[in-house]
């Protein structure tokens, strides 16, 4: 099938760019002497996760137990859930997975460790956990040294929980206004992660894994400090408008939304058939990743989505209107790929104008 014969709206992935992104990030990790454990929440597709593993990734990262279950069902056997898993039923699902896969997950509270310890009572394997360190994103994770030591002691004194290491996410780097500032935030975050790894070591609990994540520092090729063992970028595989802005070009953007022009009601207004339900209303307002509008129209400089309804994208551009007809198909470069992937049942992998494969988004909607 020709790419332009695909019914719209549709998620497209350019195969050549995809493979370049895979090769580039794996080469960077290899040269840096660290494991690559890509975050699959970006694409939610076992097919792409397997491509990442075939390229050399040590395992995959997910955000939810449901995503871990989908990846395990697909035969992926080394999974890290980079999140706190609270609730006995969810921890019980992880316990069931331990029989078939090597799985670890995040903690940042005594409550969590106590709950895990109880659920894993009598299990063949201990639960493997990494403590999350808050490094400036102002999200989850341990902040104070005393709380970290208390948590280490809780794990040490538990019967069914094994300490594997520490992890962090430097998502606040997305708001950096310059490359130099981004590098400063990245190095500060890495240093803070290593500091807590050192505290654990001095407490008699050396880290097997010291894991850091986010895409911008790695696509920019920043040095990875000694002591970091693993990186967890996600967006790099497909990229999007906001993170590509860090690079100053869109050559690494593999994913787009194919959409059809369905109306031209005024001299400057164009309507296409993808709205918030297929594009989201995501945009970034600060720093290098700031975006204009709700998505860029590929091949038309300066043309972007001005607004969306549930099923309609609204574009105000007289020049663009004069160049397209009702029934034409155009591609949109989305601002944020991760939530967009979650909206589609499948992606079309394309090359040279042809669909070469359809990849189910099997972890779509797996939010529990």
């Amino acid at each position: 099938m020709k790419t332009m014969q695909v019914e719209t709206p549709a998620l497209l992935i350019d195969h050549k760019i995809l493979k370049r992104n895979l090769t580039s990030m794996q080469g960077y990790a290899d040269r840096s002497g660290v494991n690559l454990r890509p975050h699959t929440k970006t694409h939610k597709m076992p097919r792409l996760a397997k491509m990442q593993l075939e390229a050399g990734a040590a395992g995959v990262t997910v955000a939810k137990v449901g995503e871990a279950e989908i990846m395990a069902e697909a035969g992926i056997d080394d999974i890290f859930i980079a999140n706190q898993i609270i609730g006995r039923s969810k921890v019980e699902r992880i316990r069931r997975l331990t029989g078939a896969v090597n799985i670890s997950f995040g903690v940042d509270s005594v409550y969590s460790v106590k709950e895990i310890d109880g659920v894993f009572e009598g299990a063949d394997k201990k639960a493997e956990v990494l403590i999350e360190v808050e490094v400036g994103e102002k999200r989850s994770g341990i902040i104070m040294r005393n709380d970290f030591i208390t948590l280490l002691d809780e794990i040490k004194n538990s019967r069914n929980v094994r300490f594997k290491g520490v992890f962090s996410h430097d998502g606040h780097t997305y708001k950096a206004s310059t490359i130099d500032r981004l590098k400063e935030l990245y190095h500060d975050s890495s240093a803070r992660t290593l500091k807590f790894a050192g505290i654990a070591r001095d407490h008699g609990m050396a880290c097997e894994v010291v894991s850091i994540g986010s895409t911008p520092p790695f696509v920019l090729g920043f040095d990875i400090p000694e002591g970091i063992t693993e990186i967890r970028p996600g967006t790099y595989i497909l990229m999007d408008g906001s993170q590509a802005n860090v690079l100053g070009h869109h050559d690494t953007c593999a994913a787009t939304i194919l959409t059809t022009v369905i109306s031209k009601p005024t001299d400057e207004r164009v309507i296409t058939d993808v709205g918030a339900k297929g594009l989201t209303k995501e945009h970034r307002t600060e720093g290098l990743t700031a975006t204009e509008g709700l998505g860029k129209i590929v091949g038309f400089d300066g043309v972007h989505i001005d607004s969306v309804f549930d099923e309609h994208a609204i574009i105000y551009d007289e020049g663009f209107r004069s160049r397209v007809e009702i029934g034409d198909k155009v591609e949109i470069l989305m601002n944020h790929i991760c939530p967009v992937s979650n909206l589609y049942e499948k992606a079309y992998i394309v090359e040279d104008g042809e669909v070469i494969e359809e990849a189910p988004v099997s972890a779509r909607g797996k939010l529990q």
Side-chain angles (χ1 to χ4, degrees):
M1 180 168 53
K2 298 289 186 182
T3 302
M4 289 300 158
Q5 293 176 324
V6 172
E7 290 190 357
T8 62
L11 175 60
L12 305 182
I13 298 174
D14 186 294
H15 186 241
K16 290 181 180 178
I17 299 175
L18 172 70
K19 293 196 74 173
R20 284 206 308 269
N21 292 348
L22 288 170
T23 301
S24 176
M25 186 59 71
Q26 188 61 56
Y28 167 74
D30 292 344
R31 290 190 301 274
S32 302
V34 298
N35 288 330
L36 173 62
R37 184 179 293 275
H39 207 316
T40 62
K41 73 180 178 68
T42 292
H43 53 75
K44 288 178 167 271
M45 301 176 217
R47 176 69 183 102
L48 297 196
K50 288 182 176 180
M51 292 178 71
Q52 290 172 310
L53 292 168
E54 290 163 3
V60 302
T61 304
V62 299
K64 298 295 180 74
V65 180
E67 293 174 347
E69 289 168 335
I70 291 296
M71 294 300 166
E73 287 172 9
I76 295 170
D77 62 3
D78 198 320
I79 302 170
F80 171 50
I81 308 174
N83 209 342
Q84 289 70 39
I85 306 302
I86 303 297
R88 288 187 63 88
S89 62
K90 292 179 182 178
V91 180
E92 286 167 355
R93 288 159 61 194
I94 293 176
R95 174 175 169 167
R96 289 193 289 272
L97 284 173
T98 60
V101 303
N102 176 20
I103 188 163
S104 56
F105 54 109
V107 297
D108 72 352
S109 68
V110 169
Y111 177 99
S112 181
V113 174
K114 287 182 179 295
E115 184 171 66
I116 296 164
D117 195 35
V119 170
F120 271 74
E121 183 66 39
D124 293 334
K125 294 167 60 177
K126 288 187 175 185
E128 297 197 333
V129 302
L130 285 79
I131 296 177
E132 182 174 16
V133 177
E134 210 277 89
V135 292
E137 188 178 27
K138 297 183 179 179
R139 202 169 66 177
S140 52
I142 284 288
I143 298 172
M144 304 303 294
R145 182 180 188 277
N146 288 343
D147 292 337
F148 184 64
I149 291 175
T150 297
L151 190 51
L152 287 173
D153 287 339
E154 186 66 33
I155 296 171
K156 182 187 294 185
N157 294 329
S158 69
R159 294 191 296 181
N160 306 301
V161 184
R162 186 178 87 85
F163 176 68
K164 192 171 183 179
V166 297
F167 75 104
S168 64
H169 180 248
D170 57 325
H172 57 303
T173 59
Y174 303 163
K175 297 180 180 181
S177 58
T178 66
I179 296 294
D180 286 343
R181 178 57 177 158
L182 196 157
K183 182 179 288 188
E184 180 183 1
L185 291 172
Y186 160 72
H187 282 300
D188 287 349
S189 298
S190 299
R192 180 168 168 81
T193 308
L194 287 166
K195 174 184 176 181
F196 276 83
I199 294 170
R201 182 187 61 246
D202 294 343
H203 202 62
M205 299 174 69
C207 295
E208 175 186 330
V209 175
V210 180
S211 180
I212 61 174
S214 88
T215 287
F218 306 140
V219 295
L220 288 168
F222 292 168
D223 291 339
I224 298 176
E226 185 177 353
I228 301 297
T229 68
E230 177 181 278
I231 59 173
R232 305 184 325 278
T235 306
Y236 81 93
I237 185 174
L238 300 178
M239 293 295 281
D240 55 31
S242 65
Q243 297 216 29
N245 285 344
V246 174
L247 297 174
H249 61 77
H250 300 104
D251 298 347
T252 60
C253 291
T256 56
I257 299 301
L258 186 67
T259 184
T260 301
V261 175
I262 60 171
S263 180
K264 298 168 58 178
T266 74
D267 288 343
E268 61 175 355
R269 188 192 311 160
V270 177
I271 315 297
T272 81
D273 68 350
V274 62
K277 292 180 180 178
L279 186 62
T280 78
K281 294 183 178 181
E282 287 272 326
H283 67 286
R284 298 192 193 274
T285 59
E286 296 182 54
L288 293 167
T289 61
T291 55
E292 184 177 10
L294 301 180
K296 293 175 58 69
I297 308 300
V298 177
F300 295 86
D301 289 344
V303 180
H304 58 266
I305 305 296
D306 288 281
S307 62
V308 292
F309 292 82
D310 283 351
E311 309 293 353
H312 300 76
I314 315 299
I315 303 159
Y316 287 97
D317 190 285
E318 188 173 346
F320 175 69
R321 186 193 184 282
S322 69
R323 295 172 61 186
V324 296
E325 301 296 336
I326 293 175
D328 286 353
K329 294 178 180 179
V330 295
E331 294 176 53
I332 300 171
L333 176 59
M334 69 290 293
N335 289 338
H336 188 185
I337 179 59
C338 302
V340 171
S341 295
N342 192 54
L343 300 175
Y344 290 84
E345 293 180 342
K346 62 183 175 182
Y348 296 88
I349 301 178
V350 302
E351 185 171 329
D352 297 330
E354 300 275 351
V355 176
I356 63 172
E357 188 176 350
E358 295 182 13
V361 188
S362 303
R364 173 179 182 261
K366 300 298 182 181
L367 306 180
Q368 297 177 337

